[in-house]
Amino acid sequence: MSHASTAVQERPTPPTGPGTPKSGLSSRSLPRLAPVGFAAVAIALSVSISTAAGWHSKVQWGMIAALLFLAISYVATTVVENKRQAKDRLATSIVWVCFLIAIVPLASLLWTTITRGAERLDGYFLTHSMAGVLGSEASGGVYHALIGTLEQVGIATVISAPLGLLTAVYLVEYGKGALAKAVTFFVDVMTGIPSIVAGLFILSIMLIFEIQPSGLMGALALTILMIPVVVRSTEEMLKLVPNELREASLALGIPKWRTILKVVLPTAIGGITTGVMLAIARIAGETAPIILLVFGSQLINANPFEGAQSSLPFYIYEQYKVGEAASYDRAWAAALVLIAFVMILNLVARGIARWKAPKTGR
C-alpha cells in the first residue's frame, strides 16, 4: 500500500524589482493630503521659474504650475506606490486641472461683477428709472429695465412652458413614425438657432403687419429660444419615469391620458420644473432680440403690449455704449442684478426638484 506523500512543496519566490507591483498588505501609499502638497510645491516652483525667466503673465504661471503638478504627482506616485496607481492619479489630476481651468474664468467674472456692481447697487438704484437722467450723471436706476425683463420673460414662459410640455409628452408617450421624427428634427434645429435669427424672424412679421416695437414682440422671440430647451429637458425627464408605473396604471383600466396626467407627470414634475427654470435663466440674458424688437426706453412702461420697453440686458448694453464713468457703474450694477436674478431662479429650481423628488424608504 502506497503512502501519501507528506512533502510540502515550496512556493516559488515572487520576483522582486523596481517594476514589480507590491502586494496589497505590504505596499506603501501616499497620504490623503499628498495632492495638496504636490500643488503647493508646483506653485512654488512655477513662481520661482517664472520670476527667474522674467515672465509676468499669471496665465503662464498657472499653466506651468499645472504641468508641474501633473509631473510631480506621477513621479511621486510611481516611486512610492507603483505605475498603475501613478496612471490612476495622473488621470484624476488631469480632471482636477481641467476643472480648475474651467472654473477660474467663471470665478473671476463673478468676482469682478460683484466688486464693481456692489459699489452702485442700492435701494435707490432698484426703485428709480433713467427718466431725465444724463449718461454722465451718477443718479438713475434700473427699475424700468427690471420691470421689462420680468414681463417679457414671464410672457415667454407662459407661452413656452405649455407648448414645450405638450410637445415632450407627444414625443415620449405618443410619437411614432414620420411626424415624431420631423418634430424631433425641428426641435434639434431650433436648439441651435442664434438669438439674432429669432429676433429677425419676429422683426419680419412686424414689418409685414406694421406692428410697433413692444415687450410682447421681444417675448415672442424669447419664446422661440425657450421652447426647444423646455422640450428637450421635459422629454428626458419623462423618459426617466419607469415603464412599470405606466403598465400598472394601464392594468387597472385607467385610460392612457389619465395615466399621463396622474402618474407620469407628477413623478417627473421636479425635473420638469428644473428644466423650465433653466430655460428661463437661458433667455433672461438675451440681448440681440430685445435690441431689435423692444427698442429700449428710459421711462417706466408697465404695459408690454404697447410702446417701447427696456430690459436688463438692453440696459447693460445701453449704459456701456454711453461711455461715461457713471454709466459704466450702472452697467456693472445691472449685470449684478441680472446674475442675481438667474441665480435665484436656479436655487428655486433646485429647491422644487428636491421638494418634488420621489420619496424613498418609509
Side-chain angles (χ1 to χ4, degrees):
M1 182 171 60
S2 62
H3 297 280
S5 176
T6 58
V8 178
Q9 296 182 353
E10 295 184 357
R11 295 182 180 179
T13 304
T16 58
T20 306
K22 304 177 181 64
S23 62
L25 296 177
S26 60
S27 61
R28 296 177 297 173
S29 61
L30 292 170
R32 294 182 60 183
L33 296 180
V36 178
F38 297 156
V41 173
I43 293 173
L45 290 176
S46 174
V47 173
S48 302
I49 294 173
S50 301
T51 303
W55 298 334
H56 302 288
S57 174
K58 300 298 189 299
V59 177
Q60 290 179 332
W61 292 15
M63 297 301 296
I64 294 174
L67 294 177
L68 289 174
F69 172 72
L70 296 177
I72 293 172
S73 299
Y74 182 79
V75 172
T77 307
T78 302
V79 172
V80 176
E81 299 179 3
N82 52 59
K83 287 188 176 181
R84 173 190 252 176
Q85 294 296 331
K87 293 178 180 179
D88 178 75
R89 189 178 294 275
L90 178 63
T92 305
S93 301
I94 292 175
V95 171
W96 276 104
V97 169
C98 292
F99 169 75
L100 291 176
I101 292 175
I103 205 68
V104 164
L106 178 61
S108 176
L109 174 63
L110 186 61
W111 175 255
T112 303
T113 305
I114 292 175
T115 54
R116 294 289 300 273
E119 298 176 358
R120 185 66 180 81
L121 184 61
D122 52 19
Y124 175 86
F125 183 76
L126 295 174
T127 56
H128 287 75
S129 67
M130 291 295 296
V133 179
L134 298 178
S136 58
E137 296 181 3
S139 57
V142 76
Y143 180 75
H144 62 299
L146 185 59
I147 292 295
T149 294
L150 291 175
E151 291 182 347
Q152 294 158 26
V153 172
I155 294 174
T157 303
V158 169
I159 300 174
S160 303
L163 289 177
L165 177 61
L166 293 176
T167 303
V169 169
Y170 166 75
L171 292 176
V172 175
E173 303 294 339
Y174 297 98
K176 294 180 181 179
L179 180 59
K181 292 181 180 179
V183 172
T184 302
F185 172 76
F186 282 111
V187 169
D188 293 337
V189 171
M190 289 177 63
T191 304
I193 288 180
S195 59
I196 189 66
V197 176
L200 290 173
F201 174 72
I202 301 299
L203 180 62
S204 63
I205 296 177
M206 292 172 58
L207 295 176
I208 292 173
F209 295 98
E210 297 182 355
I211 302 174
Q212 297 299 318
S214 64
L216 176 62
M217 297 297 104
L220 293 179
L222 297 180
T223 299
I224 297 175
L225 300 174
M226 184 175 176
I227 285 178
V229 180
V230 177
V231 173
R232 273 285 163 257
S233 60
T234 304
E235 186 179 1
E236 295 302 321
M237 290 301 104
L238 293 178
K239 288 179 180 179
L240 293 178
V241 177
N243 285 327
E244 289 77 4
L245 296 178
R246 298 180 177 90
E247 294 171 357
S249 178
L250 295 174
L252 295 175
I254 299 176
K256 187 170 185 177
W257 69 268
R258 195 171 183 84
T259 298
I260 296 172
L261 188 63
K262 296 295 184 180
V263 177
V264 177
L265 291 180
T267 304
I269 190 62
I272 294 173
T273 305
T274 302
V276 172
M277 290 292 183
L278 294 178
I280 294 173
R282 183 248 186 274
I283 66 171
E286 291 294 343
T287 309
I290 305 303
I291 295 176
L292 290 175
L293 307 173
V294 178
F295 221 63
S297 176
Q298 304 290 333
L299 306 176
I300 298 174
N301 180 13
N303 184 6
F305 303 101
E306 183 179 359
Q309 237 185 3
S310 186
S311 70
L312 287 174
F314 184 86
Y315 180 87
I316 297 170
Y317 164 77
E318 187 180 44
Q319 293 301 315
Y320 182 80
K321 189 174 63 174
V322 172
E324 298 288 342
S327 65
Y328 287 154
D329 293 338
R330 287 191 292 266
W332 282 109
L336 182 57
V337 173
L338 182 59
I339 290 177
F341 176 71
V342 175
M343 187 176 298
I344 290 172
L345 287 179
N346 281 275
L347 292 176
V348 170
R350 290 180 177 274
I352 294 176
R354 180 171 296 183
W355 174 43
K356 291 295 184 178
K359 303 298 187 295
T360 57
R362 294 184 179 180

